[in-house]
Amino acid sequence: MDFGFTDDQRDIQRTARDLLSERAKPERVREHAESGRSDSELWRELCELGWPGIAVSEEYGGQGLGRIELSILCEELGRSLAPVPFLASVLAATVIEHSASEAARERWLPGIASGETLGALGVAVDGTAELVVGGAEAQVIVLVEDDGTGRVLAAEEAEVEKIASIDPTRTAARVSAGDGGEALDGDVAAGVDRALVAVSSELVGVCDRALEMTVAYVKERKQFGVPVGAYQAVSHRCAQMLLETEKARSTAAFAAWTADADPERLAEAAAMAKAAASDAGREVTASAIQAHGGIGFTWEADVHWLYKRAQLDAVLLGGAGSQRARLAGILADRVRASAAA
Amino acid sequence: MDLTFSPQETAFRDELRAWLAANAPAPEPSDGGEDAHYAWRRDWQRRLYDAGWAAPAWPTEYGGRGASLTESAIYFEEIGRARVPMAANVLGLLLGGPTLMVWGTPEQKERYLPPILSGEEIWCQGFSEPDAGSDLASLKTRAVKDGDDWVVTGQKVWTSGAQYSKWCMLVARSDSEAAKHKGLTYFLMDMEQDAVQVRPLRQITGEAEFNELFIEEARIPDANIVGGVGNGWKVALTTLMNERAGLGFALQIRLRQLLDDLIAKAAERGMLERYGDALAELHVRCESIRLLAWKGLTDVERYGQPGPEGSLVKWLWSDTNQRLTQLAVDIVGAEALTSGESWSYELLRARGNTIEGGTTEVLKNIIAERVLGLPRLKVAA
C-alpha cells in the first residue's frame, strides 16, 4: 500500500509545474483568453516534450505511460489554466484508443500523440453535441451518446459551428455528426471512464490553484486592522476548500490507479472521482471568489478564470448528479447480487 | 502508487481474519447493563491477548507483534469488519502504552505495560475538565508537592471507563506560576483511592459511556510522573497524537457497514431510486475517507510523524456519520425514532462525533493554521 508517486512521477510533476509557472503566467493566460486564441507557442513546446502522447501506446507513437502520469499533467495544466488544447485532445485519444477500431486508432492516434492532430470529445444527444470543448480547432471529433454508442469522425465529416463558452481559455463548438465517420465498435465505457478521470484530475488542479490564490490573498488583505484570513468565517471557508480538494484528489488518484491496475473497479472509481471533482470544482472556485471579496468579482483578479474552467469541466461528460445516478445503479446491482448469493 | 497489499500484509490480514472467524466473542450480553457489557469486552481482550492479538502494533519486546503501520491499520479494519468489540482496555493499549514507550522510565515500562496488554489493569484518560475542553492547556486540576508525593485536587470530565480503571493518565497543573503550557505534569493516578470519586455522566442516548472524576487530595508518588515535572503538555500531545491513529480505521469500516445496512434497507423498501443521489454521495464520502486514511498512513511511513491532515479525515468521518444517520431516518421513517431501535441510537450517538476527540471547529482551526498557514486571530484574554 503506497499512496505516493514514484520518483519518475514526481519528476514529471515537478518538471510540468516549473515549465508552466514560467510559460503560462497569469498575464499570458489572460492575454490569450481575452483574444480568444490558443497559446500556439506553448502548445508547440508541450508537443516537443511529448505531452499529448503521454498515455498513448508506443505502437501508436505515444510514450506509453500510464493514466497516473496523464493525470499529473492534467492537474498541472488545470492549475495553470494554460490556454492549450491538451485536455480535449487527450480525451479524444483516450476514447479512440480504448473504444475505436484498429483502423481508427492507426489513422488518428499518431497525429494526436505528436500534437499535429487535435482531437475533441463531446456528449451528443441524437447526433448533436451542444458544447464540445476544443471542438472548433479539432481535426478529429469523438461523439458519445448516453446509450453507450459513439462515433469518431474527421472534422470535415461533421457540422462544426464555433461557439463562445464562458471559458475563453479554450475553444468550443456545437457539433452534429449526422451519419459521418465511423461508429465506435469497442467498449465505449472503457474509454469514457478513463476520460472522466482525466477531467477530474484537471479539476483537482483548478481547485488546488484556487485555494492557493485564496490563501495568499486572505493572508495579505487587511480589514479592521488584521488579515481577513485570521477571521474564522474566512479561515474555516479555506479549510472547507481544502477538504473538498483533498476529497477530489484522493478519488481521482484512486480512479487513475484502477484504470491501469484494477480495471474491474474503474466504472465505480471514475464515477466517484468525477462526482467529487465536479462538486469540488464548483464549490472551491466559488469560495475563492467570495473570499477575495469585491476584488474577486473583478475581471482583473484572475480567480474568475478558474471558476469558469471549473464550471465547464464540472458538466463535461456528465456532472456530479449523473455520476451519482450511475453510482446508485452500481450500488443497487450490488444489493441484488448479494441478495441472490 | 500501489494500492494493493504486499504478500506479507496479505498474510497478516488472512491470519487475523481466520483467527477472528474461529474465535468470535460470546454474543453481546442483552441485559446486565454497562457492567455486563464491560465484562464481556474484558473477556474478549483476554482472548485476544492469549492469541497475541491484543496490540499487534506494540514492539515484540513489550509483547506485541511489531506490526507495521499498514498492518496495524489492517488490524483495525478487520476488527471493524468482523463486528467484534474493541478490547476493554482500548485507552491503555492505544494511548497509555505508546505514551509510556516514548516517555516512561524502564521501571515504568516494566511495571505498567504487561497488565495493560493483558487487560488486568484498565486505563482511563483524565485530560478534559469542565472549563478546559478545546483549550486543554487551561486546565485547573492542581498538583502540590508533599514529601515524595503529590497531592492532587480538581475535576475531570469525559472519562470513559473510569469506573473500571486502575490507572488514570492525569494531566495536572504542578506550577501555577509558570506559563500555561509549561506548568503541567503528566501523572499516573491510582484510581483505587477514596480521594477519587467517579460519577457516571448520562449522555443524550441515555447511556453513560463517560464519567466525571471528582479528585479531592488524591496522593500520587513521584515515581508515577511520566516524562518529568513540568513536561506534561508534551507528554499529553504524544497521547493525543495516538488517539486517532488506529481507531480511525475501525471507525471508517463501521461507517461503511452502516452505509451498507442503509442501502440494503432502502432496497428492501423500494426506496433506492428515490434516495439514490444521497446514498451515492455518502458512498463517495465513505470511500474518500478510506482513501484519505490510507494516504495519511503513506505520509507517516514516508515522512515520519502523522501530519495535521489527519484532522481532515476525522472531520469528514464525523460529518458523514451524522448525514448518514439522518438520512436513515428519512429512509426508515418514523420507526427509526422508536426508542431501542438501533437507528435512533446511531442518530443520537452521531451528534457526539463532531465534538469528541477535537470539535469540528477546532479541527478547522488546526487545518487553517497548520496546513494552510493562515494567521491566528489574537483573542483578548
Side-chain angles (χ1 to χ4, degrees), chain A residues 1-6 9-10 68 211 215 218-219 226-227 229-232 234-236 238-240 242-244 246-247 249-251 253-254 257 265 268 271-272 275-276 279 320-321 324-325 327-328 331-332 334-335, chain B residues 1-6 9 70 256 263-264 267 272 276-281 283-285 287-288 290-292 294-295 298 301-303 309 312-313 315-316 360-365 367-368 371-377:
Chain A
M1 179 69 63
D2 181 3
F3 234 95
F5 289 146
T6 63
Q9 288 165 347
R10 266 202 298 272
I68 293 175
L211 177 58
V215 167
V218 302
K219 279 186 197 172
V226 292
Y231 294 111
Q232 290 176 335
V234 176
S235 69
H236 286 189
C238 293
Q240 185 79 46
L242 180 71
L243 180 70
E244 298 301 325
E246 291 306 309
K247 247 165 76 186
R249 188 193 303 281
S250 62
T251 49
F254 175 61
W257 178 80
R265 293 160 81 183
E268 178 193 354
M272 289 197 306
D279 281 346
R324 282 194 293 267
L327 279 173
L331 296 174
R334 237 172 243 171
V335 172
Chain B
M1 184 177 289
D2 178 8
L3 306 183
T4 55
F5 293 124
S6 71
E9 289 157 356
T70 300
R256 179 75 250 173
I263 292 168
L272 259 190
D277 187 78
L279 288 166
E281 170 60 17
H283 178 72
V284 173
R285 284 167 154 260
E287 290 304 294
S288 55
R290 180 176 66 87
L291 294 166
L292 286 169
W294 282 110
K295 185 163 179 273
T298 300
E301 276 174 350
R302 285 201 173 190
Y303 311 113
E309 293 82 358
L312 288 175
V313 179
W315 171 11
L316 187 57
T360 297
E361 288 72 17
V362 163
L363 298 178
K364 288 181 182 178
N365 284 346
I367 292 162
V371 183
L372 300 176
L374 291 175
R376 183 181 196 151
L377 192 63

Side-chain angles (χ1 to χ4, degrees), chain B residues 99-100 102-105 108 184-188 222-236:
Chain B
T99 302
L100 279 185
V102 174
W103 295 101
T105 61
Q108 286 174 332
L184 303 175
T185 296
Y186 195 111
F187 297 93
L188 301 182
D222 270 332
N224 288 21
I225 288 174
V226 182
V229 175
N231 199 32
W233 182 249
K234 275 194 183 161
V235 183

Side-chain angles (χ1 to χ4, degrees), chain A residues 39 53 59 75 84 118 127 135 185 236 262 266 319 324:
Chain A
D39 189 338
E59 61 173 310
E75 185 178 330
V84 290
L118 296 181
D185 61 358
H236 286 189
D262 194 3
L266 174 61
R324 282 194 293 267

